[in-house]
Structures are given as structure tokens and as C-alpha cells.
Amino acid sequence: MKKKVLLMGKSGAGKTSMRSIIFANYIARDTRRLGATIDVEHSHVRFLGNLVLNLWDCGGQKVFMDSFLTTQRDTIFRNVEVLIYVFDVESDEYDRDMHYYQSCLEALMQNSHDAKIFCLIHKMDLVPEDQRTMIFEKRESELKKRSLPLSCECFRTSIWDETLYKAWSTIVHLLIPNITQLETSLNSFATILDADEVLLFEKATFLVIASALRKDHTDPHRFEKISNIIKQFKLSCRLALRMSHCVVVTDNRHINSKLQAQFKSMEVRNHMFAAFIDTFTPNTYVMVIMTDSSIPSAATLVNIRNARKHFEKVEKLDGTTVVPKSVPKTT
């Protein structure tokens, strides 16, 4: 199942940088060497077995934007599932940016009326911290008005923090056809484990695609922070491929990472909690958070192992098949 995603915005807005960080394992500082996109760059990203994102990274120079909206109009805007439009928060061509955005919406209405629209107010790290909320809310309000009769969802983003992961996790979450079945199974799994929280990450990007929460948490941004931290750790592990075993000890944490060809698993434990990250299905990692210290690590790891086949079956569903309610467990 292919889903077409358009990534658009003016040249230099940061489209290719964010795509490279999310999908090509770049770190933020390395994106400085990326050049401008010429015409359209196509990439196919497989998510959860059956879902393939057909990502069109569209060059933002005037000559290309004009072409997209005229001679290539039908080709670009036909069969679109999602439009992601990136605005440079410091752009000195605001009126022109808005003109092109609204022109893209008109093309969508003609060719892909049901497409979902996301606007990323990007490079927010360049705005003084005490002004970020005010500026974002002002831009968001303006964009929602200019988008009518269509609706858009806006995010503030930067390649230098976790906000990029929040935006892309939300977008990908909406594209997964069997997300309801995944979340139902994940909630059952969390109950079986007696876990505080269980998260499901897409394996290549480490975007959070589903979660089950059984105890309230005070940090609403923890998902994207975890994605950012763990992905950076995963990339660091690749630099240590010659090692067969890596142990990192801090003042109150013990990190045990088994390395072969790639990052596979990790356990973090202290007197307050235990966190497990493990390969789950061929396309996902699972993270389990426990505060009940009486539950041994071995029991949690066995339950993760026993649940894998069930979640592999769930991944293959098309969004209409009824998922079995039971998740295998070991007591």
C-alpha cells in the first residue's frame, strides 16, 4: 500500500534537512552540506511491512514552484495523501510564501480533495525563546484562516531538538491503516506486563507510531524526546560495530547494549524505574517502562519475546481485518 506524501515549501526552508534526519539517519550538523533540491526527489520508505511512503521532496525555487503549479500540476498533486508544507519562520518573503501555499491548496482541491495538510513552522530555534509561543500561535492562526475551506494542522519545528520528531510521528501515525488494531493490542500487552507505559517505534526512523499509557506522566513531550535520544544512541552504536558488547555505567544508570550488526536492545534500570528497548517485529522496536521493582527483568523480556508473533500478524492487517484480542504471555 503506497501513500503519496508531498514535501513542499520555499527553497532553503529546511525540507531536505528534516527529511534526511528522519529518513536517512543524518545528524543535524551534517545537514549543512546538503544542497538545494532540483525539481523533485523521490524516495520510498517502508513502514510496518505493507505501508510504503512515496515521498516527493519538491524543490522550492521559484522556477520549480511555478512549474509544479502549471505544467506539472496534475502529476504533482494527483493521488496525494498528505501535503507537508514547510515555512521558514524567518523568511522575508512571507506574502510570496503564502501565495504559493494557497496555490498548492487550490491544486489539491482539484486533484486530491481528501488529502491531509500539515504546516511546519520551521527553524524555531532562531526565534528568541520568550517569543516562540507568541510567534507560532500567530502564524498558526493565519495559516488556518488562509487554508479554508480546507483544514490544516500546524507544528513548530527545529532540526536541533525533539520537535521534528513530534511533527513527523503525528503525520506517520495518521497514515498507518491498521493503527487502531495496533493500539488495541498494545494496550492489552501493557496490561499483561503490568507496565506503566509501552511505546512502539518504527525501526528505521525511530518515530513513535503507537503507545499505551497506564499511568499518567507529567511530560507531554517525552515521546519525541525519547525518539531523539535513542536514535542518536543508535547512530553512536554504529560507530562501535567492532565491539560485541557495550556497557555504559553512569552514577545511577546501567545501560547494557548488545551489538552485532546494529543496535538490538537496551535496558536502563535505577531505584525508580526500569526501561527496556528491544527489537520487536521486523519493522519495529518496543519500549517498556516499569516502576514495579518486584517484576524481574527476565519475566518482562520473555513476555516481549512471546508477543512478537502476534504483533507481526497485526502489522500485516489492512485496517479492516479484526485483530485477535489475546496477546500471548508468560506468567
Side-chain angles (χ1 to χ4, degrees), residues 4-8 19 37-43 54-61 64-65 67-68 72 75-76:
K4 183 177 177 180
V5 178
L6 293 185
L7 182 59
M8 305 190 78
R19 174 173 66 88
T37 299
I38 305 300
D39 199 20
V40 180
E41 290 186 8
H42 300 271
S43 57
N54 183 11
L55 186 61
W56 294 39
D57 183 357
C58 301
Q61 297 94 322
F64 297 133
M65 291 296 290
S67 175
F68 299 153
Q72 297 189 68
T75 301
I76 296 293

Side-chain angles (χ1 to χ4, degrees), residues 51-100:
L51 174 62
V52 176
L53 299 187
N54 183 11
L55 186 61
W56 294 39
D57 183 357
C58 301
Q61 297 94 322
K62 184 179 184 301
V63 62
F64 297 133
M65 291 296 290
D66 290 341
S67 175
F68 299 153
L69 293 165
T70 54
T71 57
Q72 297 189 68
R73 188 183 185 93
D74 291 346
T75 301
I76 296 293
F77 293 98
R78 186 187 297 123
N79 300 323
V80 174
E81 291 281 342
V82 168
L83 168 65
I84 303 170
Y85 206 96
V86 182
F87 291 89
D88 182 345
V89 70
E90 291 209 319
S91 173
D92 55 3
E93 298 177 313
Y94 179 77
D95 290 339
R96 194 176 84 169
D97 296 344
M98 197 62 68
H99 166 72
Y100 277 128

Side-chain angles (χ1 to χ4, degrees), residues 37-274:
T37 299
I38 305 300
D39 199 20
V40 180
E41 290 186 8
H42 300 271
S43 57
H44 293 80
V45 183
R46 182 172 294 277
F47 272 77
L48 303 184
N50 294 330
L51 174 62
V52 176
L53 299 187
N54 183 11
L55 186 61
W56 294 39
D57 183 357
C58 301
Q61 297 94 322
K62 184 179 184 301
V63 62
F64 297 133
M65 291 296 290
D66 290 341
S67 175
F68 299 153
L69 293 165
T70 54
T71 57
Q72 297 189 68
R73 188 183 185 93
D74 291 346
T75 301
I76 296 293
F77 293 98
R78 186 187 297 123
N79 300 323
V80 174
E81 291 281 342
V82 168
L83 168 65
I84 303 170
Y85 206 96
V86 182
F87 291 89
D88 182 345
V89 70
E90 291 209 319
S91 173
D92 55 3
E93 298 177 313
Y94 179 77
D95 290 339
R96 194 176 84 169
D97 296 344
M98 197 62 68
H99 166 72
Y100 277 128
Y101 170 65
Q102 290 185 293
S103 297
C104 289
L105 296 188
E106 292 174 6
L108 273 184
M109 290 181 68
Q110 295 171 359
N111 292 276
S112 303
H113 189 272
D114 294 329
K116 299 177 178 67
I117 302 161
F118 296 91
C119 295
L120 307 189
I121 314 302
H122 196 46
K123 302 185 181 180
M124 289 296 292
D125 56 286
L126 301 178
V127 177
E129 191 169 356
D130 61 345
Q131 299 179 31
R132 290 175 188 174
T133 298
M134 180 269 292
I135 289 176
F136 172 74
E137 290 178 351
K138 182 179 178 180
R139 295 288 178 90
E140 180 182 37
S141 177
E142 178 71 11
L143 283 166
K144 287 182 179 294
K145 290 178 183 177
R146 298 284 191 102
S147 299
L148 295 172
L150 301 177
S151 61
C152 69
E153 186 171 356
C154 300
F155 295 92
R156 63 180 104 186
T157 55
S158 167
I159 63 171
W160 300 100
D161 61 30
E162 67 276 0
T163 54
L164 196 62
Y165 287 89
K166 177 178 177 60
W168 281 90
S169 288
T170 302
I171 294 166
V172 169
H173 180 273
L174 292 174
L175 290 172
I176 297 172
N178 56 340
I179 192 63
T180 300
Q181 293 94 330
L182 271 175
E183 291 181 335
T184 298
S185 289
L186 209 61
N187 276 289
S188 298
F189 187 44
T191 301
I192 289 168
L193 292 172
D194 196 20
D196 295 36
E197 193 164 24
V198 179
L199 307 178
L200 202 62
F201 299 90
E202 196 281 322
K203 195 168 188 178
T205 62
F206 240 92
L207 295 174
V208 176
I209 54 176
S211 63
L213 176 65
R214 297 181 67 242
K215 292 185 180 180
D216 291 337
H217 200 286
T218 57
D219 186 357
H221 305 295
R222 64 194 180 282
F223 292 170
E224 51 267 28
K225 289 178 180 177
I226 292 169
S227 288
N228 195 14
I229 292 169
I230 297 301
K231 189 170 185 180
Q232 295 306 313
F233 180 77
K234 179 183 174 185
L235 294 175
S236 297
C237 287
R238 289 185 176 181
L239 300 177
L241 291 180
R242 294 181 180 179
M243 299 171 63
S244 61
H245 196 72
C246 173
V247 178
V248 179
V249 180
T250 64
D251 53 351
N252 65 349
R253 296 181 182 180
H254 180 271
I255 300 177
N256 187 351
S257 175
K258 297 177 181 179
L259 300 176
Q260 291 179 358
Q262 61 179 358
F263 170 81
K264 291 181 63 177
S265 64
M266 182 170 73
E267 178 180 348
V268 179
R269 180 180 289 274
N270 62 23
H271 68 285
M272 297 179 64
F273 72 93

